[in-house]
Amino acid sequence: LTDGVTNLELTGAYASIANGGNYVEPTFYSKVLDHDGNVLIDNTPEEKQVMKATTAWLINDAMQDVVTSGTGTAARLSSGMVVSGKTGTTSNNYDYWFCGSTPYYTASIWMGYDSNTDFSNSNYHKVIWRKIMDEIIYAKELDTSATFKKPSGIVTEKVCATSGALPVEGKCKSTITEYFAEGTVP
């Protein structure tokens, strides 16, 4: 990779969305202990707020739709745990990505070759992500009813299903309820 973002960097960015807007630099280990349990190296990363918690939650909520009814349905977990995520491809279908989060973990899958190869609409990367995450949930016996914590400052409002604006009598045929950060309702 000579230009662009690495899989590790992308996973860190998506994790900050799932983590309420807090970025934690990805690490491969947190501590090194000696045989007596003494800490030799402490590699515990610091958290840094990189976006408002309300912004992170709204993005995360929108990305749940990607998995429930969008391009990421192949990543839906068999355990039924909530997932937020985003699919992606590069020009000519040479690279495929799925970056997703559960309330516990975030992971990204990249699928491609060093020499550009057209995969023509593959779902393998989403299936691999799903199988890994399902196995983690099973192995760690995680609570599958867990959800992403909604911060204070999120409100709901009925808006016109067509325009997204507040409904106007006689102009809007149907409404939907949407989430907003306080102060941003149309």
PDB file of all heavy atoms in Angstrom, residues 1 5-8 10-11 88-90 94-99 107-116 119 124-126 128-129:
ATOM      1  N   LEU A   1       0.858  -1.180   0.000  1.00  0.00           N
ATOM      2  CA  LEU A   1       0.000   0.000   0.000  1.00  0.00           C
ATOM      3  C   LEU A   1       0.893   1.228   0.000  1.00  0.00           C
ATOM      4  O   LEU A   1       1.667   1.426   0.921  1.00  0.00           O
ATOM      5  CB  LEU A   1      -0.897  -0.027   1.232  1.00  0.00           C
ATOM      6  CG  LEU A   1      -1.887   1.102   1.380  1.00  0.00           C
ATOM      7  CD1 LEU A   1      -3.016   0.946   0.351  1.00  0.00           C
ATOM      8  CD2 LEU A   1      -2.482   1.094   2.764  1.00  0.00           C
ATOM      9  N   VAL A   5      -5.281   4.515   3.192  1.00  0.00           N
ATOM     10  CA  VAL A   5      -5.376   4.153   4.598  1.00  0.00           C
ATOM     11  C   VAL A   5      -5.138   2.653   4.758  1.00  0.00           C
ATOM     12  O   VAL A   5      -5.478   1.868   3.877  1.00  0.00           O
ATOM     13  CB  VAL A   5      -6.767   4.573   5.151  1.00  0.00           C
ATOM     14  CG1 VAL A   5      -7.881   3.800   4.489  1.00  0.00           C
ATOM     15  CG2 VAL A   5      -6.842   4.458   6.639  1.00  0.00           C
ATOM     16  N   THR A   6      -4.535   2.259   5.873  1.00  0.00           N
ATOM     17  CA  THR A   6      -4.335   0.828   6.139  1.00  0.00           C
ATOM     18  C   THR A   6      -5.576   0.261   6.807  1.00  0.00           C
ATOM     19  O   THR A   6      -6.416   0.994   7.346  1.00  0.00           O
ATOM     20  CB  THR A   6      -3.128   0.593   7.062  1.00  0.00           C
ATOM     21  OG1 THR A   6      -3.430   1.113   8.360  1.00  0.00           O
ATOM     22  CG2 THR A   6      -1.866   1.226   6.502  1.00  0.00           C
ATOM     23  N   ASN A   7      -5.679  -1.046   6.804  1.00  0.00           N
ATOM     24  CA  ASN A   7      -6.801  -1.711   7.463  1.00  0.00           C
ATOM     25  C   ASN A   7      -6.815  -1.382   8.956  1.00  0.00           C
ATOM     26  O   ASN A   7      -7.868  -1.158   9.544  1.00  0.00           O
ATOM     27  CB  ASN A   7      -6.704  -3.221   7.238  1.00  0.00           C
ATOM     28  CG  ASN A   7      -8.024  -3.927   7.445  1.00  0.00           C
ATOM     29  OD1 ASN A   7      -9.025  -3.325   7.784  1.00  0.00           O
ATOM     30  ND2 ASN A   7      -8.014  -5.226   7.252  1.00  0.00           N
ATOM     31  N   LEU A   8      -5.649  -1.323   9.577  1.00  0.00           N
ATOM     32  CA  LEU A   8      -5.558  -1.003  11.003  1.00  0.00           C
ATOM     33  C   LEU A   8      -6.063   0.417  11.282  1.00  0.00           C
ATOM     34  O   LEU A   8      -6.814   0.647  12.230  1.00  0.00           O
ATOM     35  CB  LEU A   8      -4.121  -1.171  11.493  1.00  0.00           C
ATOM     36  CG  LEU A   8      -3.906  -1.015  12.993  1.00  0.00           C
ATOM     37  CD1 LEU A   8      -4.657  -2.090  13.764  1.00  0.00           C
ATOM     38  CD2 LEU A   8      -2.420  -1.070  13.307  1.00  0.00           C
ATOM     39  N   LEU A  10      -8.146   2.183   9.421  1.00  0.00           N
ATOM     40  CA  LEU A  10      -9.581   2.212   9.146  1.00  0.00           C
ATOM     41  C   LEU A  10     -10.365   1.602  10.303  1.00  0.00           C
ATOM     42  O   LEU A  10     -11.392   2.147  10.723  1.00  0.00           O
ATOM     43  CB  LEU A  10      -9.867   1.465   7.839  1.00  0.00           C
ATOM     44  CG  LEU A  10     -11.264   1.616   7.274  1.00  0.00           C
ATOM     45  CD1 LEU A  10     -11.533   3.067   6.895  1.00  0.00           C
ATOM     46  CD2 LEU A  10     -11.417   0.739   6.040  1.00  0.00           C
ATOM     47  N   THR A  11      -9.872   0.503  10.840  1.00  0.00           N
ATOM     48  CA  THR A  11     -10.539  -0.132  11.976  1.00  0.00           C
ATOM     49  C   THR A  11     -10.544   0.793  13.184  1.00  0.00           C
ATOM     50  O   THR A  11     -11.559   0.907  13.880  1.00  0.00           O
ATOM     51  CB  THR A  11      -9.855  -1.470  12.320  1.00  0.00           C
ATOM     52  OG1 THR A  11      -9.860  -2.300  11.149  1.00  0.00           O
ATOM     53  CG2 THR A  11     -10.580  -2.197  13.440  1.00  0.00           C
ATOM     54  N   GLY A  88     -17.589  -1.370   1.208  1.00  0.00           N
ATOM     55  CA  GLY A  88     -16.900  -0.482   0.284  1.00  0.00           C
ATOM     56  C   GLY A  88     -16.172  -1.263  -0.784  1.00  0.00           C
ATOM     57  O   GLY A  88     -15.751  -2.401  -0.559  1.00  0.00           O
ATOM     58  N   THR A  89     -16.067  -0.663  -1.952  1.00  0.00           N
ATOM     59  CA  THR A  89     -15.290  -1.239  -3.051  1.00  0.00           C
ATOM     60  C   THR A  89     -14.488  -0.124  -3.702  1.00  0.00           C
ATOM     61  O   THR A  89     -14.831   1.046  -3.600  1.00  0.00           O
ATOM     62  CB  THR A  89     -16.198  -1.873  -4.140  1.00  0.00           C
ATOM     63  OG1 THR A  89     -17.087  -0.874  -4.629  1.00  0.00           O
ATOM     64  CG2 THR A  89     -16.978  -3.040  -3.597  1.00  0.00           C
ATOM     65  N   THR A  90     -13.421  -0.507  -4.369  1.00  0.00           N
ATOM     66  CA  THR A  90     -12.659   0.465  -5.143  1.00  0.00           C
ATOM     67  C   THR A  90     -13.066   0.353  -6.609  1.00  0.00           C
ATOM     68  O   THR A  90     -13.813  -0.548  -6.991  1.00  0.00           O
ATOM     69  CB  THR A  90     -11.141   0.232  -5.011  1.00  0.00           C
ATOM     70  OG1 THR A  90     -10.849  -1.101  -5.418  1.00  0.00           O
ATOM     71  CG2 THR A  90     -10.668   0.456  -3.594  1.00  0.00           C
ATOM     72  N   TYR A  94     -11.713  -3.998  -7.579  1.00  0.00           N
ATOM     73  CA  TYR A  94     -10.429  -4.610  -7.249  1.00  0.00           C
ATOM     74  C   TYR A  94     -10.284  -4.871  -5.754  1.00  0.00           C
ATOM     75  O   TYR A  94      -9.574  -5.782  -5.353  1.00  0.00           O
ATOM     76  CB  TYR A  94      -9.270  -3.727  -7.698  1.00  0.00           C
ATOM     77  CG  TYR A  94      -9.106  -3.621  -9.192  1.00  0.00           C
ATOM     78  CD1 TYR A  94      -8.432  -2.548  -9.731  1.00  0.00           C
ATOM     79  CD2 TYR A  94      -9.589  -4.597 -10.058  1.00  0.00           C
ATOM     80  CE1 TYR A  94      -8.250  -2.435 -11.107  1.00  0.00           C
ATOM     81  CE2 TYR A  94      -9.415  -4.492 -11.422  1.00  0.00           C
ATOM     82  CZ  TYR A  94      -8.754  -3.413 -11.944  1.00  0.00           C
ATOM     83  OH  TYR A  94      -8.575  -3.304 -13.287  1.00  0.00           O
ATOM     84  N   ASP A  95     -10.891  -4.055  -4.927  1.00  0.00           N
ATOM     85  CA  ASP A  95     -10.768  -4.184  -3.477  1.00  0.00           C
ATOM     86  C   ASP A  95     -12.146  -4.128  -2.844  1.00  0.00           C
ATOM     87  O   ASP A  95     -12.981  -3.307  -3.246  1.00  0.00           O
ATOM     88  CB  ASP A  95      -9.928  -3.030  -2.903  1.00  0.00           C
ATOM     89  CG  ASP A  95      -8.525  -3.024  -3.437  1.00  0.00           C
ATOM     90  OD1 ASP A  95      -7.718  -3.799  -2.910  1.00  0.00           O
ATOM     91  OD2 ASP A  95      -8.236  -2.246  -4.360  1.00  0.00           O
ATOM     92  N   TYR A  96     -12.362  -4.990  -1.861  1.00  0.00           N
ATOM     93  CA  TYR A  96     -13.617  -5.009  -1.127  1.00  0.00           C
ATOM     94  C   TYR A  96     -13.320  -4.848   0.357  1.00  0.00           C
ATOM     95  O   TYR A  96     -12.374  -5.433   0.884  1.00  0.00           O
ATOM     96  CB  TYR A  96     -14.347  -6.344  -1.334  1.00  0.00           C
ATOM     97  CG  TYR A  96     -15.072  -6.443  -2.649  1.00  0.00           C
ATOM     98  CD1 TYR A  96     -14.400  -6.706  -3.827  1.00  0.00           C
ATOM     99  CD2 TYR A  96     -16.450  -6.280  -2.712  1.00  0.00           C
ATOM    100  CE1 TYR A  96     -15.068  -6.804  -5.033  1.00  0.00           C
ATOM    101  CE2 TYR A  96     -17.130  -6.385  -3.907  1.00  0.00           C
ATOM    102  CZ  TYR A  96     -16.433  -6.643  -5.069  1.00  0.00           C
ATOM    103  OH  TYR A  96     -17.098  -6.741  -6.251  1.00  0.00           O
ATOM    104  N   TRP A  97     -14.153  -4.058   1.035  1.00  0.00           N
ATOM    105  CA  TRP A  97     -14.003  -3.811   2.468  1.00  0.00           C
ATOM    106  C   TRP A  97     -15.326  -4.046   3.178  1.00  0.00           C
ATOM    107  O   TRP A  97     -16.391  -3.781   2.628  1.00  0.00           O
ATOM    108  CB  TRP A  97     -13.644  -2.344   2.724  1.00  0.00           C
ATOM    109  CG  TRP A  97     -12.325  -1.897   2.227  1.00  0.00           C
ATOM    110  CD1 TRP A  97     -12.033  -1.449   0.966  1.00  0.00           C
ATOM    111  CD2 TRP A  97     -11.119  -1.815   2.968  1.00  0.00           C
ATOM    112  NE1 TRP A  97     -10.715  -1.092   0.892  1.00  0.00           N
ATOM    113  CE2 TRP A  97     -10.132  -1.307   2.109  1.00  0.00           C
ATOM    114  CE3 TRP A  97     -10.778  -2.110   4.281  1.00  0.00           C
ATOM    115  CZ2 TRP A  97      -8.823  -1.094   2.515  1.00  0.00           C
ATOM    116  CZ3 TRP A  97      -9.486  -1.889   4.679  1.00  0.00           C
ATOM    117  CH2 TRP A  97      -8.525  -1.403   3.802  1.00  0.00           C
ATOM    118  N   PHE A  98     -15.241  -4.533   4.384  1.00  0.00           N
ATOM    119  CA  PHE A  98     -16.367  -4.417   5.317  1.00  0.00           C
ATOM    120  C   PHE A  98     -15.770  -4.036   6.668  1.00  0.00           C
ATOM    121  O   PHE A  98     -14.901  -4.733   7.194  1.00  0.00           O
ATOM    122  CB  PHE A  98     -17.186  -5.696   5.473  1.00  0.00           C
ATOM    123  CG  PHE A  98     -18.356  -5.466   6.403  1.00  0.00           C
ATOM    124  CD1 PHE A  98     -19.476  -4.786   5.959  1.00  0.00           C
ATOM    125  CD2 PHE A  98     -18.301  -5.854   7.731  1.00  0.00           C
ATOM    126  CE1 PHE A  98     -20.529  -4.513   6.820  1.00  0.00           C
ATOM    127  CE2 PHE A  98     -19.341  -5.582   8.601  1.00  0.00           C
ATOM    128  CZ  PHE A  98     -20.464  -4.917   8.140  1.00  0.00           C
ATOM    129  N   CYS A  99     -16.232  -2.917   7.186  1.00  0.00           N
ATOM    130  CA  CYS A  99     -15.820  -2.440   8.505  1.00  0.00           C
ATOM    131  C   CYS A  99     -17.065  -2.437   9.363  1.00  0.00           C
ATOM    132  O   CYS A  99     -18.056  -1.802   9.002  1.00  0.00           O
ATOM    133  CB  CYS A  99     -15.242  -1.034   8.417  1.00  0.00           C
ATOM    134  SG  CYS A  99     -13.864  -0.923   7.277  1.00  0.00           S
ATOM    135  N   ALA A 107     -14.049  -4.646  13.809  1.00  0.00           N
ATOM    136  CA  ALA A 107     -13.089  -5.325  12.943  1.00  0.00           C
ATOM    137  C   ALA A 107     -13.346  -4.901  11.503  1.00  0.00           C
ATOM    138  O   ALA A 107     -14.466  -4.539  11.140  1.00  0.00           O
ATOM    139  CB  ALA A 107     -13.214  -6.843  13.076  1.00  0.00           C
ATOM    140  N   SER A 108     -12.292  -4.959  10.700  1.00  0.00           N
ATOM    141  CA  SER A 108     -12.402  -4.652   9.272  1.00  0.00           C
ATOM    142  C   SER A 108     -11.808  -5.796   8.477  1.00  0.00           C
ATOM    143  O   SER A 108     -10.785  -6.364   8.854  1.00  0.00           O
ATOM    144  CB  SER A 108     -11.645  -3.367   8.938  1.00  0.00           C
ATOM    145  OG  SER A 108     -12.205  -2.272   9.599  1.00  0.00           O
ATOM    146  N   ILE A 109     -12.453  -6.083   7.382  1.00  0.00           N
ATOM    147  CA  ILE A 109     -11.977  -7.120   6.469  1.00  0.00           C
ATOM    148  C   ILE A 109     -11.712  -6.468   5.122  1.00  0.00           C
ATOM    149  O   ILE A 109     -12.567  -5.762   4.581  1.00  0.00           O
ATOM    150  CB  ILE A 109     -13.028  -8.242   6.290  1.00  0.00           C
ATOM    151  CG1 ILE A 109     -13.308  -8.954   7.604  1.00  0.00           C
ATOM    152  CG2 ILE A 109     -12.605  -9.223   5.186  1.00  0.00           C
ATOM    153  CD1 ILE A 109     -12.187  -9.808   8.138  1.00  0.00           C
ATOM    154  N   TRP A 110     -10.528  -6.686   4.592  1.00  0.00           N
ATOM    155  CA  TRP A 110     -10.191  -6.274   3.237  1.00  0.00           C
ATOM    156  C   TRP A 110      -9.984  -7.526   2.409  1.00  0.00           C
ATOM    157  O   TRP A 110      -9.407  -8.504   2.879  1.00  0.00           O
ATOM    158  CB  TRP A 110      -8.901  -5.454   3.226  1.00  0.00           C
ATOM    159  CG  TRP A 110      -8.347  -5.257   1.854  1.00  0.00           C
ATOM    160  CD1 TRP A 110      -8.776  -4.354   0.926  1.00  0.00           C
ATOM    161  CD2 TRP A 110      -7.293  -6.001   1.240  1.00  0.00           C
ATOM    162  NE1 TRP A 110      -8.040  -4.475  -0.231  1.00  0.00           N
ATOM    163  CE2 TRP A 110      -7.121  -5.482  -0.055  1.00  0.00           C
ATOM    164  CE3 TRP A 110      -6.473  -7.051   1.662  1.00  0.00           C
ATOM    165  CZ2 TRP A 110      -6.170  -5.977  -0.935  1.00  0.00           C
ATOM    166  CZ3 TRP A 110      -5.529  -7.537   0.791  1.00  0.00           C
ATOM    167  CH2 TRP A 110      -5.376  -6.999  -0.496  1.00  0.00           C
ATOM    168  N   MET A 111     -10.487  -7.492   1.195  1.00  0.00           N
ATOM    169  CA  MET A 111     -10.298  -8.603   0.279  1.00  0.00           C
ATOM    170  C   MET A 111      -9.779  -8.040  -1.038  1.00  0.00           C
ATOM    171  O   MET A 111     -10.380  -7.116  -1.596  1.00  0.00           O
ATOM    172  CB  MET A 111     -11.617  -9.343   0.051  1.00  0.00           C
ATOM    173  CG  MET A 111     -11.475 -10.592  -0.777  1.00  0.00           C
ATOM    174  SD  MET A 111     -13.028 -11.505  -0.917  1.00  0.00           S
ATOM    175  CE  MET A 111     -13.849 -10.558  -2.167  1.00  0.00           C
ATOM    176  N   GLY A 112      -8.669  -8.554  -1.482  1.00  0.00           N
ATOM    177  CA  GLY A 112      -8.103  -8.108  -2.739  1.00  0.00           C
ATOM    178  C   GLY A 112      -6.806  -8.842  -3.024  1.00  0.00           C
ATOM    179  O   GLY A 112      -6.379  -9.694  -2.250  1.00  0.00           O
ATOM    180  N   TYR A 113      -6.196  -8.516  -4.142  1.00  0.00           N
ATOM    181  CA  TYR A 113      -4.920  -9.090  -4.547  1.00  0.00           C
ATOM    182  C   TYR A 113      -3.918  -7.973  -4.760  1.00  0.00           C
ATOM    183  O   TYR A 113      -4.290  -6.834  -5.036  1.00  0.00           O
ATOM    184  CB  TYR A 113      -5.059  -9.863  -5.871  1.00  0.00           C
ATOM    185  CG  TYR A 113      -5.824 -11.151  -5.767  1.00  0.00           C
ATOM    186  CD1 TYR A 113      -7.118 -11.252  -6.274  1.00  0.00           C
ATOM    187  CD2 TYR A 113      -5.261 -12.283  -5.177  1.00  0.00           C
ATOM    188  CE1 TYR A 113      -7.824 -12.436  -6.198  1.00  0.00           C
ATOM    189  CE2 TYR A 113      -5.959 -13.469  -5.096  1.00  0.00           C
ATOM    190  CZ  TYR A 113      -7.235 -13.540  -5.608  1.00  0.00           C
ATOM    191  OH  TYR A 113      -7.924 -14.714  -5.536  1.00  0.00           O
ATOM    192  N   ASP A 114      -2.641  -8.301  -4.658  1.00  0.00           N
ATOM    193  CA  ASP A 114      -1.605  -7.315  -4.979  1.00  0.00           C
ATOM    194  C   ASP A 114      -1.724  -6.863  -6.428  1.00  0.00           C
ATOM    195  O   ASP A 114      -1.548  -5.694  -6.748  1.00  0.00           O
ATOM    196  CB  ASP A 114      -0.212  -7.894  -4.733  1.00  0.00           C
ATOM    197  CG  ASP A 114       0.079  -8.089  -3.258  1.00  0.00           C
ATOM    198  OD1 ASP A 114      -0.604  -7.450  -2.432  1.00  0.00           O
ATOM    199  OD2 ASP A 114       0.987  -8.872  -2.941  1.00  0.00           O
ATOM    200  N   SER A 115      -2.006  -7.807  -7.312  1.00  0.00           N
ATOM    201  CA  SER A 115      -2.256  -7.448  -8.710  1.00  0.00           C
ATOM    202  C   SER A 115      -3.771  -7.342  -8.865  1.00  0.00           C
ATOM    203  O   SER A 115      -4.501  -8.263  -8.503  1.00  0.00           O
ATOM    204  CB  SER A 115      -1.698  -8.516  -9.659  1.00  0.00           C
ATOM    205  OG  SER A 115      -2.284  -9.766  -9.373  1.00  0.00           O
ATOM    206  N   ASN A 116      -4.231  -6.221  -9.354  1.00  0.00           N
ATOM    207  CA  ASN A 116      -5.671  -5.938  -9.392  1.00  0.00           C
ATOM    208  C   ASN A 116      -6.451  -7.029 -10.101  1.00  0.00           C
ATOM    209  O   ASN A 116      -6.130  -7.414 -11.218  1.00  0.00           O
ATOM    210  CB  ASN A 116      -5.911  -4.588 -10.064  1.00  0.00           C
ATOM    211  CG  ASN A 116      -5.393  -3.456  -9.208  1.00  0.00           C
ATOM    212  OD1 ASN A 116      -5.354  -3.560  -7.992  1.00  0.00           O
ATOM    213  ND2 ASN A 116      -5.006  -2.363  -9.846  1.00  0.00           N
ATOM    214  N   PHE A 119     -13.372  -8.829  -8.690  1.00  0.00           N
ATOM    215  CA  PHE A 119     -14.114  -9.856  -7.950  1.00  0.00           C
ATOM    216  C   PHE A 119     -15.577  -9.929  -8.342  1.00  0.00           C
ATOM    217  O   PHE A 119     -16.280 -10.845  -7.960  1.00  0.00           O
ATOM    218  CB  PHE A 119     -14.041  -9.576  -6.444  1.00  0.00           C
ATOM    219  CG  PHE A 119     -12.708  -9.907  -5.843  1.00  0.00           C
ATOM    220  CD1 PHE A 119     -11.813  -8.905  -5.564  1.00  0.00           C
ATOM    221  CD2 PHE A 119     -12.358 -11.207  -5.564  1.00  0.00           C
ATOM    222  CE1 PHE A 119     -10.587  -9.185  -5.006  1.00  0.00           C
ATOM    223  CE2 PHE A 119     -11.136 -11.508  -5.019  1.00  0.00           C
ATOM    224  CZ  PHE A 119     -10.244 -10.493  -4.729  1.00  0.00           C
ATOM    225  N   TYR A 124     -17.791 -12.413   0.047  1.00  0.00           N
ATOM    226  CA  TYR A 124     -16.898 -13.183   0.914  1.00  0.00           C
ATOM    227  C   TYR A 124     -16.380 -12.370   2.098  1.00  0.00           C
ATOM    228  O   TYR A 124     -16.288 -12.879   3.204  1.00  0.00           O
ATOM    229  CB  TYR A 124     -15.711 -13.752   0.134  1.00  0.00           C
ATOM    230  CG  TYR A 124     -16.086 -14.768  -0.913  1.00  0.00           C
ATOM    231  CD1 TYR A 124     -15.524 -14.720  -2.180  1.00  0.00           C
ATOM    232  CD2 TYR A 124     -17.000 -15.776  -0.642  1.00  0.00           C
ATOM    233  CE1 TYR A 124     -15.864 -15.646  -3.150  1.00  0.00           C
ATOM    234  CE2 TYR A 124     -17.349 -16.693  -1.604  1.00  0.00           C
ATOM    235  CZ  TYR A 124     -16.778 -16.633  -2.852  1.00  0.00           C
ATOM    236  OH  TYR A 124     -17.125 -17.549  -3.798  1.00  0.00           O
ATOM    237  N   HIS A 125     -16.018 -11.126   1.876  1.00  0.00           N
ATOM    238  CA  HIS A 125     -15.471 -10.297   2.950  1.00  0.00           C
ATOM    239  C   HIS A 125     -16.491 -10.086   4.067  1.00  0.00           C
ATOM    240  O   HIS A 125     -16.145 -10.101   5.242  1.00  0.00           O
ATOM    241  CB  HIS A 125     -14.967  -8.960   2.402  1.00  0.00           C
ATOM    242  CG  HIS A 125     -15.982  -8.162   1.658  1.00  0.00           C
ATOM    243  ND1 HIS A 125     -16.653  -8.627   0.548  1.00  0.00           N
ATOM    244  CD2 HIS A 125     -16.445  -6.919   1.875  1.00  0.00           C
ATOM    245  CE1 HIS A 125     -17.489  -7.711   0.119  1.00  0.00           C
ATOM    246  NE2 HIS A 125     -17.381  -6.654   0.910  1.00  0.00           N
ATOM    247  N   LYS A 126     -17.757  -9.961   3.713  1.00  0.00           N
ATOM    248  CA  LYS A 126     -18.818  -9.795   4.720  1.00  0.00           C
ATOM    249  C   LYS A 126     -19.062 -11.111   5.460  1.00  0.00           C
ATOM    250  O   LYS A 126     -19.269 -11.125   6.674  1.00  0.00           O
ATOM    251  CB  LYS A 126     -20.102  -9.295   4.060  1.00  0.00           C
ATOM    252  CG  LYS A 126     -19.960  -7.908   3.456  1.00  0.00           C
ATOM    253  CD  LYS A 126     -21.197  -7.528   2.675  1.00  0.00           C
ATOM    254  CE  LYS A 126     -20.836  -7.354   1.229  1.00  0.00           C
ATOM    255  NZ  LYS A 126     -21.959  -7.001   0.382  1.00  0.00           N
ATOM    256  N   ILE A 128     -16.836 -13.524   5.892  1.00  0.00           N
ATOM    257  CA  ILE A 128     -15.676 -13.748   6.771  1.00  0.00           C
ATOM    258  C   ILE A 128     -15.828 -12.935   8.042  1.00  0.00           C
ATOM    259  O   ILE A 128     -15.635 -13.435   9.155  1.00  0.00           O
ATOM    260  CB  ILE A 128     -14.356 -13.385   6.046  1.00  0.00           C
ATOM    261  CG1 ILE A 128     -14.080 -14.378   4.919  1.00  0.00           C
ATOM    262  CG2 ILE A 128     -13.187 -13.326   7.026  1.00  0.00           C
ATOM    263  CD1 ILE A 128     -12.984 -13.933   3.962  1.00  0.00           C
ATOM    264  N   TRP A 129     -16.216 -11.658   7.910  1.00  0.00           N
ATOM    265  CA  TRP A 129     -16.414 -10.791   9.078  1.00  0.00           C
ATOM    266  C   TRP A 129     -17.460 -11.400  10.017  1.00  0.00           C
ATOM    267  O   TRP A 129     -17.245 -11.499  11.217  1.00  0.00           O
ATOM    268  CB  TRP A 129     -16.841  -9.388   8.626  1.00  0.00           C
ATOM    269  CG  TRP A 129     -16.890  -8.404   9.744  1.00  0.00           C
ATOM    270  CD1 TRP A 129     -15.887  -7.584  10.146  1.00  0.00           C
ATOM    271  CD2 TRP A 129     -17.989  -8.151  10.625  1.00  0.00           C
ATOM    272  NE1 TRP A 129     -16.294  -6.829  11.225  1.00  0.00           N
ATOM    273  CE2 TRP A 129     -17.588  -7.158  11.535  1.00  0.00           C
ATOM    274  CE3 TRP A 129     -19.278  -8.663  10.738  1.00  0.00           C
ATOM    275  CZ2 TRP A 129     -18.418  -6.678  12.538  1.00  0.00           C
ATOM    276  CZ3 TRP A 129     -20.114  -8.181  11.734  1.00  0.00           C
ATOM    277  CH2 TRP A 129     -19.671  -7.198  12.621  1.00  0.00           C
TER     278      TRP A 129
END
